[in-house]
Amino acid sequence: MSESADDGSVLFTYVAPFLGVLLVAVGIGGAVPGGYAIAQEQIGGCGEPSIAVEGPEETSQRFATSQPQLARFQFAELSPAERAAFREGLADARGEAHVEGSFPNGPAFRNGSLVTYEGERHYVTVVSENPCFQAAPLQFPLGLFAIGLGVVGILTPPLYRKLVALERSVEA
Amino acid sequence: MNRAIVEGSALAVLALTVAVVWFRARHAARPESDGGYTTREEIEFEIGRLQSEVYRWLTTTNHRDIGLLYIAFGTIAGLWGGVDAMMLRTELLTPPADIWTPETYNALFTTHGLTMLIFFVLPVFFGVGNYVLPLLIGADDMAFPRVNAIGFWLLPPALLLARMGLLVQVGGQVLSLFLPDESIQFFLTIREVSIGWTLYAPLSVQQPNPQIDLLLLGLHLSGIATTVGAINFIVTVVYERGDDVTWANLDIFSWNMLVTSGIALFAFPLLGSALVMLLLDRNLATTFFATEGGGAILWQHLFWFWGHPEVYILFLPATGLMSTILPKFVGRKLFGYQFIVYSTLGLAVLSFGVWAHHMFTTSVDPRVKASFMAISIAIAVPSAIKVFNWITTMWDGDIQLSAPFILCAGSIGTFIVGGVTGVFLAVIPIDILYHGTYYVVGHFHLIVVGIIPFMMIAASYYWYPLITGRWYDTRLAKFQSVLLIFGSVVTFMTLLIIGGVGLPRRQAIYPPEYQLAQQIATVGAYVIGLSALLWLYNMLVSYWRGAVVQTTDPWKLKATNQFTKEWQWFEERMVEKYDLEPATPDSTRRSYAPELEPMGLLGGVGSVAENVYRNASAAAAGGFVGTVLMAGGLGTAIVVDVLDPVSFGEIAEPVGLPADPLFGAALFLVGGTVTWPLLFLAFQEYLPGRYLFETGTVFATLISTGFAIAFYTGQQGLVLLGYLGFVLVAHWAYGLGLAVTFQFLQSRRRKRRRAEE
C-alpha cells in the first residue's frame, strides 16, 4: 500500500480537515485568553503591580559609581499597601511582591526609587504591571465552539469513509 | 497566568494523551485470543515483559536501538520546546503583557530557543544518523557502540539540568501548599532562565537566578554528549565502510553526517570552555566577561564561534536528508553529487568564518566587520548550489506526490526565502536596521523550521516502513505535511513583514497597530502545533494499526535503480524473517533522464558545453531575425506617431547609459537577440501550442504585455489603441521570426547529421 492517488473526495479528505485545523487554531486563540479573562478574578494578582526590592548591599553597589536623580522616600511615607509589599519583597526569596491596594507612589516606583527602611537604603522598582486581561464576554464560548467545530472538521475524513462504507453495505 | 502550572499541566496532559493513544492502539491491535478478560497470569507476564524491555532499552548498544532512543528523546524535547513556543505566541495575542508577565515571556523565548536547538534538533539527527548511517555504508554497527550509548545517556540528565527551573517551580508551588515558605526557599528562588538563549554577558553573569548555573552545567553535559557522538560518526564513516563503499560513492546523507560531526568536533569544545568561563565568572568572581578586567564582547565572540557553526550542524543533516529523499520521489538521480559534496565541505569551512555577523551592531572594528560581511555573503553560494541541484534533480522528473515529496518541495521554497532574507542580513547597513527585529526571527525560523523539522518528518515517513514494517496513514501524512508548510509560511512570513517595518523582537509588550499581524502569526503557530500533534498521532497509532508492508521494495525504488543500501538490508531482513519474494519491478530505467540521454532544449544530444553552444547560437540567430522583423513594426508605429521614441531612451538609463533613443534601441536589439530567445528556449516546453510557431506566438503575446507597460508614454484614446495594436503585431512578428529560424536551423542540423551517417 504505497502512496497512491486517493480514491474519494478531495473536499472531505483534505479541504474539510484543513478548514477544521484553521478553526481549531483560531478557536484556541480566542478561547484561551477568553477563558483566562473569566478565571483571572479567581486566580487573583491582576491589576496589582509587582515591585522588586533590592537589599542594601546591592543598592550601594548599583549606585557606587553614579547617582541618578531618583525619588527618595522614608518607609513611613509609603501607603499601607506599599509598605506591606515592601516588607513582603524584603522577605521574598526573589525580592518581589505584589502591591495589593492603593499605590500613590506608583509613577515614582516605575522610574525606580530609593526607600530608606531601618536606616538602610533599598532600591525599589516596578518589574511588572500585571494588567487585568480584558476580553469580550463571547470570546470564550465562541472560541470553544470554533474548537468543537474544527475537531469535527478534522475528523471528517474517517467519518466520510465510514458513511461511504455504510452506504455501500446497504446497497450491497 | 501561572506559567509553571500551565506548562506543567500542558506537558502532563500531552504525556498522558500519548500514553492513552499508544495503549489503546496496541490493545485494539491485539485483542485477547479468546475474546475474554485478561487473567492474573497474563498481567504478571506483562509486567515481567515490561521489566525485561526496560532493562533492554537501558543497556542496549545496538545502533538502531540507540537511534530510536535519540529520536524519542528529541521528540520529547521538541514537544517541550513547542509548548514554550505556543505559550509565548499566546502572550503575543494582545499588545500588553496581560497573559504572562514580561519576565515569564522572556523565560519562554529563552527556554524555547535552547530546548529546540540543543535538545531537539541535534538528538533527532544523531538518532536518524545512528539508525540509517551504518546501514547506508554497509557497517555492522557504529565504531564504538558503548561510547554511542554513553553519548545518548548523557542527554536526559543534561535536559533535566537545563530545564530544571520549570520542574522546581512546579515542585515549589505544590510544596508551598503544605510547607512554610522559609523551609522551601530553594524551590521559591529558582525559576526558568530569562536572559535570552544567547546568554549574553554581563546580564548572564550578574543575574542571581541559580538556575543559570544549572543550565550552564546542562549545556556543558550536552556538549560532551555531542562531541562523543561526533567522534563516533567520524570514525564510523572513515573506518567501518563496506568494501564496495568508497569516498566517491559514499551516499550523500553519510557525507553530511561526517561533515556535521567534523564541525561539531571543532565547535562544541569551544562552547564548553566558554560555559566554564561563565560559570567561573558567576561563582568564583573571575572577570572573563566583566566590563573591567575582561570584556562582555568576548562572550559574544566565543559564543558565536560555536553558535554559527551550530546553525550548520543543525542544517547540514537536513540537506543530507533532502538530497537522499528527494531523488527517490522524482525518479531521478541526485543532480551534481560532487557539487553537493563540495558545497557541504565549503559550508563547513565557511561556517567558522562568519560568527561576527551576529555582532554587526557591536563595537567590533568596522574593517573586521567588513571581512565578516564578505564571507557571510559568500556562504550563500554553497547553499544556493544545493538549491539549484535539488531543483535540477526535480526538473522533468516523474513526480510522486507523497508526503515526503510534499515536505521536500515545501522545504526548498521556505529555505529559499529564509536564505535570501539572510543575504540581506549579511550586509552591515541593512543588518544595523534589522538587528533585533522580528525580521531576524522570521529569517532564521524559515530555515530552522522551514527545512530542519520538515526533513525530519519527511525522513520519518520515508523510513517508517523500514523501521516498523508497517505503513503510516498516507492521507493523514499528506494532509499533515501541507498543514505544516502552510502554518510555517503564514507564521514566519508575517514575522518577516512586521520585522521589516521595524517591530523589535523579544518584547512582551508591543504597539497595538501590530496586533492583527501578531494574531495571524499566532494562529499560524497553532497550526504548526496541531500539525506536529497529527504527525505524532500518525507515528504512534500506525505502529500498531498501519497496513503491514507486503513487499521488499515499498517505495518502488528498483524501477529507477535507486534501491539503496538501507533498503537492500530491509529486503534481506524481509526475506529472512517472512520468506518474502524480493520485489521485481515491471520495468526499470536509468534514474537520471526518462529519455536516457541529456537532451538539448532544441533536441539533439551531446555534452553540456555542446548543448549550451548550440542553444546560444540558435537563440542569437533567431533573436536577431525576430528583432529585425519587430523593428519594422515598431518603426511604423513611430512613423504614425503612436509610439514615442523617447521611451527607448528611458530604458537605457537603468543600465547606466545616457538617456538617448539610439542607445536604447541598441540595448533593445541586444535584449531581443540574447535574453528573450534564451527565455523562450527555456519555457517553450511549458507554453501552449502544438507547433513551435504557435508556441512562439504565445510567447510573443505574453512578453508584449511587458513591453506595452514599459514603453507607455501616456497615450490616450485611439492613439492608445494603435499603440497596443502595433506592439502586439510587432511582437507576433518577433515570435514567428524566432520560431521559424529555430525550425530552419534544426532542420539544417538534422540534414547534416543524416549526411554524416
Side-chain angles (χ1 to χ4, degrees):
Chain A
M1 193 207 95
S2 80
E3 298 223 6
S4 56
D6 286 309
D7 50 341
S9 157
V10 171
L11 177 71
F12 292 113
T13 308
Y14 298 111
V15 178
F18 180 75
L19 294 175
V21 167
L22 279 185
L23 264 177
V24 170
V26 172
I28 293 170
V32 170
Y36 175 56
I38 295 166
Q40 71 182 346
E41 288 155 24
Q42 280 79 46
I43 297 166
C46 106
E48 298 164 352
S50 307
I51 56 167
V53 183
E54 282 187 1
E57 301 83 11
E58 288 167 300
T59 305
S60 351
Q61 245 178 9
R62 183 183 286 275
F63 300 113
T65 52
S66 62
Q67 285 293 336
Q69 292 301 308
L70 293 176
R72 289 155 198 269
F73 300 97
Q74 290 298 322
F75 181 70
E77 295 170 14
L78 304 180
S79 72
E82 290 166 346
R83 284 203 295 266
F86 181 90
R87 282 209 193 91
E88 208 180 315
L90 270 185
D92 184 69
R94 295 169 50 188
E96 288 181 16
H98 289 308
V99 181
E100 297 167 19
S102 85
F103 193 15
N105 297 308
F109 276 31
R110 281 184 185 88
N111 285 336
S113 39
L114 287 165
V115 175
T116 307
Y117 176 68
E118 294 179 347
E120 287 178 318
R121 291 188 317 163
H122 297 266
Y123 178 67
V124 183
T125 184
V126 171
V127 287
S128 177
E129 292 290 349
N130 305 321
C132 289
F133 182 74
Q134 303 294 332
L138 268 177
Q139 192 171 318
F140 180 63
L142 281 182
L144 282 186
F145 176 73
I147 292 170
L149 193 62
V151 169
V152 172
I154 293 169
L155 295 176
T156 299
L159 289 172
Y160 168 76
R161 287 198 292 272
K162 278 198 171 69
L163 285 172
V164 169
L166 184 73
E167 202 158 311
R168 281 185 186 159
S169 67
V170 168
E171 283 169 4
Chain B
M1 241 194 286
N2 186 318
R3 181 251 171 114
I5 296 295
V6 170
E7 188 163 15
S9 310
L11 289 168
V13 167
L14 194 58
L16 201 66
T17 309
V18 166
V20 167
V21 164
W22 176 260
F23 285 110
R24 272 204 58 201
R26 191 184 151 197
H27 186 71
R30 288 194 195 166
E32 296 300 335
S33 54
D34 61 351
Y37 298 103
T38 310
T39 62
R40 179 190 294 271
E41 288 79 11
E42 279 166 333
I43 291 173
E44 281 169 3
F45 173 77
E46 189 69 7
I47 290 169
R49 201 185 61 81
L50 264 177
Q51 281 175 330
S52 66
E53 280 287 296
V54 167
Y55 183 74
R56 182 177 90 82
W57 283 102
L58 286 174
T59 56
T60 182
T61 56
N62 177 291
H63 72 97
R64 284 181 286 121
D65 289 349
I66 290 172
L68 292 176
L69 283 169
Y70 262 119
I71 291 168
F73 171 84
T75 305
I76 290 164
L79 291 168
W80 195 345
V83 169
D84 288 329
M86 297 301 110
M87 288 166 72
L88 74 89
R89 285 302 330 169
T90 303
E91 163 63 50
L92 294 168
L93 281 166
T94 60
D98 51 4
I99 294 176
W100 317 112
T101 64
E103 196 209 3
T104 300
Y105 175 79
N106 293 351
L108 283 169
F109 69 66
T110 302
T111 51
H112 166 68
L114 285 167
T115 309
M116 287 304 202
L117 291 176
I118 311 262
F119 297 104
F120 163 53
V121 178
L122 209 66
V124 170
F125 281 142
F126 270 26
V128 175
N130 250 299
Y131 199 103
V132 299
L133 187 135
L135 306 181
L136 286 165
I137 64 172
D140 297 335
D141 201 321
M142 297 289 281
F144 309 120
R146 281 192 289 274
V147 171
N148 200 20
I150 290 167
F152 168 74
W153 285 108
L154 288 177
L155 282 176
L159 175 66
L160 289 179
L161 275 169
R163 295 299 312 262
M164 201 177 256
L166 182 71
L167 307 173
V168 171
Q169 268 178 295
V170 172
Q173 295 191 6
V174 172
L175 288 172
S176 67
L177 300 173
F178 312 104
L179 297 166
D181 286 5
E182 292 73 38
S183 60
I184 50 167
Q185 283 282 4
F186 168 77
F187 289 93
L188 301 178
T189 308
I190 273 195
R191 57 203 185 277
E192 286 278 40
V193 176
S194 57
I195 53 177
W197 80 274
T198 50
L199 310 173
Y200 275 9
L203 184 62
S204 56
V205 177
Q206 290 174 1
Q207 218 190 47
N209 182 6
Q211 174 56 29
I212 296 176
D213 301 303
L214 297 175
L215 168 72
L216 296 177
L217 291 169
L219 292 181
H220 200 8
L221 200 57
S222 84
I224 294 165
T226 306
T227 311
V228 161
I231 291 168
N232 212 345
F233 276 118
I234 292 168
V235 177
T236 303
V237 174
V238 174
Y239 288 104
E240 299 289 325
R241 295 195 313 272
D243 296 337
D244 56 339
V245 182
T246 64
W247 289 114
N249 67 9
L250 180 65
D251 72 281
I252 206 78
F253 179 66
S254 301
W255 262 116
N256 275 273
M257 285 308 292
L258 175 70
V259 172
T260 299
S261 303
I263 304 174
L265 197 60
F266 284 101
F268 269 88
L270 188 117
L271 173 72
S273 314
L275 291 172
V276 169
M277 288 155 82
L278 189 54
L279 269 169
L280 292 172
D281 265 19
R282 284 179 57 81
N283 297 291
L284 297 179
T286 54
T287 58
F288 293 114
F289 309 123
T291 39
E292 287 163 22
I297 293 292
L298 176 63
W299 168 260
Q300 291 191 33
H301 279 297
L302 294 176
F303 178 86
W304 286 117
F305 191 83
W306 161 79
H308 200 87
E310 164 73 359
V311 172
Y312 287 92
I313 290 168
L314 307 179
F315 162 73
L316 285 177
T319 66
L321 288 172
M322 171 82 82
S323 301
T324 302
I325 295 169
L326 182 69
K328 311 290 192 297
F329 295 92
V330 299
R332 299 194 65 193
K333 201 171 67 174
L334 179 68
F335 180 87
Y337 164 88
Q338 272 181 312
F339 291 94
I340 295 255
V341 172
Y342 289 139
S343 71
T344 305
L345 291 163
L347 282 172
V349 173
L350 290 173
S351 72
F352 282 95
V354 295
W355 80 86
H357 72 208
H358 297 271
M359 303 161 60
F360 281 161
T361 55
T362 64
S363 57
V364 172
D365 187 308
R367 289 162 299 183
V368 175
K369 280 185 201 167
S371 71
F372 279 99
M373 169 175 149
I375 301 171
S376 300
I377 293 169
I379 208 168
V381 175
S383 308
I385 287 171
K386 287 183 188 297
V387 169
F388 285 124
N389 279 311
W390 294 332
I391 292 171
T392 316
T393 304
M394 281 199 282
W395 187 269
D396 217 11
D398 178 15
I399 304 285
Q400 196 183 334
L401 201 69
S402 59
F405 175 79
I406 291 169
L407 286 161
C408 285
S411 292
I412 294 173
T414 44
F415 175 60
I416 288 172
V417 180
V420 170
T421 48
V423 175
F424 285 93
L425 286 175
V427 179
I428 296 170
I430 297 175
D431 183 76
I432 284 168
L433 280 176
Y434 286 146
H435 185 94
T437 68
Y438 271 101
Y439 182 88
V440 178
V441 180
H443 148 69
F444 73 72
H445 275 87
L446 278 164
I447 290 169
V448 296
V449 177
I451 186 164
I452 292 169
F454 283 22
M455 284 301 101
M456 288 175 182
I457 291 172
S460 72
Y461 289 141
Y462 173 59
W463 280 314
Y464 198 78
L466 179 128
I467 294 170
T468 64
R470 285 180 184 267
W471 278 104
Y472 54 88
D473 181 338
T474 53
R475 285 196 200 90
L476 181 59
K478 283 182 202 170
F479 175 64
Q480 184 270 329
S481 306
V482 171
L483 211 56
L484 184 60
I485 296 165
F486 172 83
S488 304
V489 169
V490 167
T491 305
F492 306 123
M493 291 295 218
T494 308
L495 296 189
L496 268 182
I497 292 164
I498 60 178
V501 292
L503 185 65
R505 66 193 277 211
R506 294 182 165 179
Q507 306 268 338
I509 301 162
Y510 60 87
E513 55 265 39
Y514 290 98
Q515 184 170 11
L516 178 63
Q518 289 279 30
Q519 286 175 336
I520 290 169
T522 295
V523 167
Y526 290 158
V527 170
I528 295 172
L530 289 164
S531 81
L533 292 179
L534 289 176
W535 168 81
L536 189 64
Y537 174 84
N538 200 350
M539 292 289 111
L540 295 173
V541 171
S542 299
Y543 182 80
W544 295 107
R545 290 167 41 186
V548 174
V549 175
Q550 307 272 22
T551 166
T552 61
D553 182 13
W555 292 114
K556 299 186 175 60
L557 300 176
K558 286 181 176 176
T560 54
N561 281 313
Q562 299 199 80
F563 196 64
T564 38
K565 272 188 168 306
E566 82 276 29
W567 292 108
Q568 291 165 22
W569 169 85
F570 175 73
E571 182 169 72
E572 282 168 29
R573 221 157 145 251
M574 295 295 269
V575 171
E576 271 174 38
K577 278 176 80 173
Y578 305 112
D579 206 19
L580 274 185
E581 282 292 311
T584 44
D586 300 332
S587 62
T588 58
R589 61 173 173 78
R590 286 168 63 189
S591 57
Y592 65 77
E595 292 82 9
L596 301 182
E597 287 287 357
M599 299 286 289
L601 290 168
L602 286 170
V605 296
S607 70
V608 173
E610 283 170 345
N611 269 316
V612 168
Y613 169 73
R614 203 161 46 228
N615 292 339
S617 58
F624 183 75
V625 172
T627 311
V628 170
L629 288 173
M630 189 180 183
L634 294 179
T636 313
I638 291 170
V639 170
V640 298
D641 215 15
V642 294
L643 174 62
D644 190 348
V646 169
S647 54
F648 280 90
E650 286 171 3
I651 67 162
E653 269 186 316
V655 292
L657 292 169
D660 186 306
L662 273 176
F663 281 111
L667 195 68
F668 186 76
L669 182 68
V670 170
T673 305
V674 177
T675 311
W676 298 109
L678 284 173
L679 277 175
F680 174 63
L681 280 181
F683 289 113
Q684 47 129 350
E685 204 179 325
Y686 306 98
L687 292 170
R690 286 163 305 161
Y691 300 102
L692 199 62
F693 74 86
E694 288 176 346
T695 311
T697 315
V698 170
F699 175 72
T701 309
L702 286 173
I703 62 174
S704 72
T705 54
F707 181 98
I709 293 165
F711 288 78
Y712 176 70
T713 48
Q715 294 91 330
Q716 299 288 330
L718 277 179
V719 178
L720 177 64
L721 198 65
Y723 167 71
L724 292 175
F726 272 104
V727 165
L728 197 59
V729 171
H731 275 83
W732 283 342
Y734 176 77
L736 287 168
L738 200 64
V740 171
T741 310
F742 283 163
Q743 289 289 38
F744 171 72
L745 291 172
Q746 255 181 301
S747 66
R748 253 188 37 177
R749 200 177 304 129
R750 269 197 294 268
K751 276 181 194 161
R752 209 179 312 133
R753 206 178 306 135
R754 273 197 217 105
E756 284 167 6
E757 286 164 1

